[in-house]
């Protein structure tokens, strides 16, 4: 086996968390940020509107960026114009969003895994679902104790036109860097989102510490294990 490239998921993988706990914590904070900026929103309908924006990104057909898909879906949903809305959101993700780090469980193993891969000459890519602005993703990288400069790409909603589990999201990364699927490994914790790359001939390592399989899908993966086992596996490559 010759693995020369590893694509890593972030949330629930390099940054251990339970996704529902994380989202349930930060969404009300986002609503409060709008209220603090003079936008009279009710938390429940506000959060429902944000979810509509999220699903618009998941369903994006590649005709626009995920950022554009999100804000188009949000048009008319809030009592504020799109430009001000986006400004409030970016200010939130750059600052108050950091409070949500309490819902995560960072481990030094994450950085060890990335550094071990690089020491072995393996290229690493942060294939995190691009549904967040770059500033939010850079903050989550920091929570995880990682260095952004280690990764050849960090996918965010500003520069991606597809989302997981759409295989076109993964195809875009492979094509951008002209990667041979046979030389790649995807590491993730979400059965539906991360194992979708198998359709392109990429091997997968399913992280079992915080595995997500909300739909109870049957699945296949080449490798599986906890974070410590992942470190040993990467070290063996």
């Amino acid at each position: 086996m010759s693995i020369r490239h590893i694509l890593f998921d972030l949330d629930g993988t390099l940054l251990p968390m339970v996704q529902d706990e994380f989202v349930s914590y930060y969404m009300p904070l986002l609503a409060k940020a709008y209220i603090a900026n003079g936008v009279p929103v009710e938390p429940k309908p506000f959060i429902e509107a944000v979810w509509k924006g999220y699903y618009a990104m998941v369903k994006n057909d590649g005709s626009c960026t995920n950022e554009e898909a999100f804000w188009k879906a949000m048009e008319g949903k809030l009592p504020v114009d799109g430009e001000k809305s986006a400004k409030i959101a970016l200010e939130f993700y750059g600052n108050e969003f950091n409070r949500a780090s309490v819902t995560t469980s960072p481990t030094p193993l994450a950085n060890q895994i990335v550094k071990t891969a690089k020491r072995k000459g393996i290229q690493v890519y942060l294939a995190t679902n691009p549904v967040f602005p770059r500033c939010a993703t850079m903050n989550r990288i920091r929570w995880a104790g990682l260095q952004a400069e280690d990764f050849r790409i960090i996918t965010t909603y500003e520069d991606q036109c597809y989302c997981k589990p759409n295989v076109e999201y993964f195809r875009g990364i492979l094509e951008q860097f002209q990667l041979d699927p046979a030389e790649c490994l995807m590491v993730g914790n979400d059965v539906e989102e991360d194992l979708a790359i198998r359709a392109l001939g990429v091997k997968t390592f399913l992280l079992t510490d915080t595995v997500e399989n909300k739909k109870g899908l049957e699945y296949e993966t080449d490798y599986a294990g906890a974070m410590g086992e992942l470190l040993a596996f990467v070290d063996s490559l």
Side-chain angles (χ1 to χ4, degrees):
M1 178 180 63
S2 179
I3 298 297
R4 298 179 59 196
H5 309 275
I6 301 180
L7 288 70
F8 288 101
D9 174 53
L10 180 59
D11 299 336
T13 303
L14 292 178
L15 178 59
M17 67 165 69
V18 176
Q19 195 80 24
D20 287 346
E21 293 177 5
F22 168 62
V23 173
S24 296
Y25 187 93
Y26 91 78
M27 283 275 206
L29 291 180
L30 179 57
K32 288 178 183 177
Y34 275 78
I35 294 169
N37 277 274
V39 182
V41 298
E42 292 292 331
K44 186 177 179 182
F46 171 83
I47 291 171
E48 288 173 351
V50 173
W51 275 115
K52 287 179 181 176
Y54 167 80
Y55 287 117
M57 291 188 286
V58 172
K59 295 174 183 175
N60 194 357
D61 61 3
S63 58
C64 62
T65 65
N66 290 337
E67 178 182 18
E68 291 165 340
F70 177 84
W71 289 110
K72 184 176 181 181
M74 292 288 282
E75 284 178 7
K77 301 284 193 307
L78 304 177
V80 62
D81 66 78
E83 186 176 341
K84 182 178 180 181
S85 188
K87 185 176 180 181
I88 294 171
L90 282 178
E91 176 69 20
F92 166 78
Y93 282 117
N95 296 283
E96 195 72 4
F97 178 61
N98 285 312
R99 288 174 57 186
S101 64
V102 299
T103 66
T104 68
S105 305
T107 168
L109 288 174
N111 191 49
Q112 289 174 35
I113 288 164
V114 172
K115 291 294 196 290
T116 298
K118 295 192 71 178
R119 176 170 53 81
K120 292 199 160 264
I122 298 170
Q123 302 275 2
V124 296
Y125 308 75
L126 196 63
T128 178
N129 212 8
V131 295
F132 282 103
R134 186 169 183 85
C135 63
T137 301
M138 296 301 281
N139 275 330
R140 296 190 337 278
I141 290 169
R142 184 173 50 79
W143 302 350
L146 303 170
Q147 287 74 51
E149 56 269 22
D150 281 337
F151 301 98
R152 292 189 78 189
I153 189 174
I154 297 168
T155 55
T156 64
Y157 90 158
E158 290 95 340
D159 55 21
Q160 297 294 309
C161 300
Y162 297 102
C163 286
K164 302 176 188 179
N166 191 333
V167 73
E168 295 305 319
Y169 162 75
F170 295 108
R171 195 193 309 277
I173 296 174
L174 299 185
E175 291 182 350
Q176 179 177 345
F177 294 96
Q178 298 180 310
L179 307 184
D180 179 352
E183 297 179 340
C184 297
L185 177 74
M186 175 70 205
V187 176
N189 72 306
D190 192 299
V191 166
E192 181 181 20
E193 292 187 354
D194 298 316
L195 301 189
I197 197 172
R198 293 174 61 80
L200 299 178
V202 173
K203 290 182 172 65
T204 54
F205 188 110
L206 182 67
L207 194 69
T208 56
D209 294 294
T210 50
V211 66
E212 294 264 3
N213 189 9
K214 293 178 181 177
K215 297 181 180 178
L217 302 173
E218 291 187 13
Y219 64 89
E220 291 183 8
T221 184
D222 300 278
Y223 314 99
M227 190 76 90
E229 293 170 302
L230 174 59
L231 176 58
F233 176 80
V234 172
D235 195 35
S236 73
L237 294 175

